Structures are given as C-alpha cells and as structure tokens.
C-alpha cells in the first residue's frame, strides 16, 4: 500500500532505508508469510501427486496431509481406485 509507505516516511526522523520503510509498513513480514504459505502448498501438491501415482484417492490424500481434496482432484484428475494394502 503506497499510503503506508508514505506515512512511514513522514513518521521517521533521520536516515531511512527502503528495508526499514517496508518493515515498518509491515510489508516484509507479509511477503515472508505469503512465501512460506506458497512453499507449503507447493510441497503438499508434490506429495499429493506422488500419492495419486501410488493409487491413493484424493480424499485419502486430503485427510492424510490436511489439504483440500477438491483442489487435488482439479489438479490431478478424478479419484483413482484405492490401492490394495500390499501396494502401500
């Protein structure tokens, strides 16, 4: 938000760095949190893809990795047949 950055600049005395302004505006922490969330989702989808290849259903995967089954189905297709216990 440009207004937050401008406000941070007005409130500070002395030398400022871009990093300080962005941190004071809360943007760095926000970006870090967003990056972590994106990384966690990417890893969950990688695990989901691997489990689908082993015959797990989207519902089994969602319950196991605490992820949205609908998102798994959209990305990797319909539910597959449940693998037999010896395949797991």
């Amino acid at each position: 938000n440009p207004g937050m950055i401008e406000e941070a600049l007005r409130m500070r005395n002395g030398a400022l760095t871009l990093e300080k302004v962005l941190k004071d505006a809360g943007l760095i922490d926000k970006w870090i949190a967003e990056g972590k969330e994106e990384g966690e989702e990417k890893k969950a989808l990688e695990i989901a893809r691997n489990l689908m290849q082993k015959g797990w259903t989207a519902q089994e995967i969602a319950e196991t990795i605490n992820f949205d089954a609908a998102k798994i189905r959209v990305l990797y297709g319909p539910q597959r047949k449940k693998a037999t216990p010896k395949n797991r």
Side-chain angles (χ1 to χ4, degrees), residues 4-28 31:
M4 291 171 58
I5 294 171
E6 288 174 9
E7 183 179 342
L9 286 169
R10 281 193 303 271
M11 293 173 61
R12 296 284 304 166
N13 293 325
L16 286 178
T17 64
L18 180 58
E19 180 181 3
K20 179 69 175 152
V21 171
L22 295 175
K23 186 152 185 72
D24 288 350
L27 294 175
I28 290 179
W31 294 334

Side-chain angles (χ1 to χ4, degrees), residues 16-83:
L16 286 178
T17 64
L18 180 58
E19 180 181 3
K20 179 69 175 152
V21 171
L22 295 175
K23 186 152 185 72
D24 288 350
L27 294 175
I28 290 179
D29 292 337
K30 178 184 175 194
W31 294 334
I32 289 170
E34 289 173 356
K36 285 180 182 178
E37 188 176 309
E38 289 173 11
E40 288 173 3
E41 182 170 322
K42 183 178 177 182
K43 185 64 176 175
L45 291 172
E46 180 182 329
I47 292 168
R49 184 189 71 238
N50 292 337
L51 293 175
M52 286 289 271
Q53 290 173 349
K54 292 184 179 291
W56 287 42
T57 65
Q59 189 61 41
E60 289 173 320
I61 296 167
E63 291 170 4
T64 302
I65 65 172
N66 194 28
F67 200 74
D68 183 12
K71 195 175 240 184
I72 294 169
R73 282 188 211 98
V74 167
L75 293 172
Y76 300 118
Q79 287 183 286
R80 300 176 189 251
K81 289 186 177 180
K82 190 173 179 178

